[in-house]
Amino acid sequence: TSGTSKASGTVKVVAAEKCFTVGDILFTDGTRIKAEKLQYEIPDSQISKAFAVITSVSYGGGTGKAVGLQRSSRMLQWAPSGTIGYSTNFTGIQAYYINSTTFTGDIDGSDNWEYICSIDPEGTKDPATNYPAFNFALTYGTQAGLTETDYETGWYVPSVAELYDVYTNKEVVQTSLNAVGGFTLGTSYYWSSCQYASGDSFASRVDFGNGYVYSGNKYYGSNVLVLQAFNAEQFNN
């Protein structure tokens, strides 16, 4: 069978052998190793080119979201107390938890920083001070050694729905992260980029110990991981 992916406003067929599966490892040379091939040893020279692991797939596997191999080295604030970001209810990026598999509202975090910039243009000029969790995503490519590759930019803090997908597929994703020296997801809290609807100073986060979705005061410290969306046809097996 084949999958489908959206490109340039159209839907096109993607050959089944090209489709992503959760746990696929992506490399900066444009290749990938399928999750089911991990029983074979990966050469060190190839491990050094690894940069992401697929955490969820859509459109029949033609596109997928991938997590970077590094998380924040320390817990970061969403927005410190006293900042505009802390006291603002960003209504355009509110998300609502319905049950363990369903979220409504903002489910795609890829443009959430752009939205925050439109509401707080002055504060977002200094994200390191005013939006530390988002600054990690903005600077991730440099920190992860992806400068001068095709994957330096485009990383973002996931929506709570996207973050929950990482938790749901935690076991498979962790196996692939381990294979290439990636970080340990563990049982930490991770920030989403979504505003918690019922409180200006709260954002949504996921507990990777039990999968619960909580509100967290924006000045709390939580870990941050980053995602990026890719098309399966960008990578060769």
Side-chain angles (χ1 to χ4, degrees), residues 63-135:
T63 60
K65 305 289 177 65
V67 64
L69 300 188
Q70 299 180 18
R71 73 175 186 183
S72 57
S73 60
R74 57 188 176 87
M75 292 188 291
L76 300 172
Q77 296 174 306
W78 204 96
S81 179
T83 63
I84 296 298
Y86 176 80
S87 59
T88 298
N89 191 319
F90 295 98
T91 57
I93 55 173
Q94 290 179 353
Y96 305 88
Y97 174 79
I98 305 301
N99 55 48
S100 62
T101 60
T102 306
F103 296 83
T104 62
D106 175 48
I107 60 173
D108 179 359
S110 63
D111 58 356
N112 285 4
W113 175 246
E114 181 180 352
Y115 174 79
I116 293 170
C117 289
S118 72
I119 302 299
D120 183 17
E122 289 303 313
T124 53
K125 290 178 181 178
D126 184 7
T129 299
N130 298 318
Y131 295 93
F134 292 90
N135 186 65

Side-chain angles (χ1 to χ4, degrees), residues 28 50-51 140-152 155:
T28 56
F51 76 94
Y140 178 80
T142 300
Q143 296 179 52
L146 296 174
T147 305
E148 298 183 0
T149 73
D150 292 335
Y151 314 105
E152 179 179 1
W155 300 99

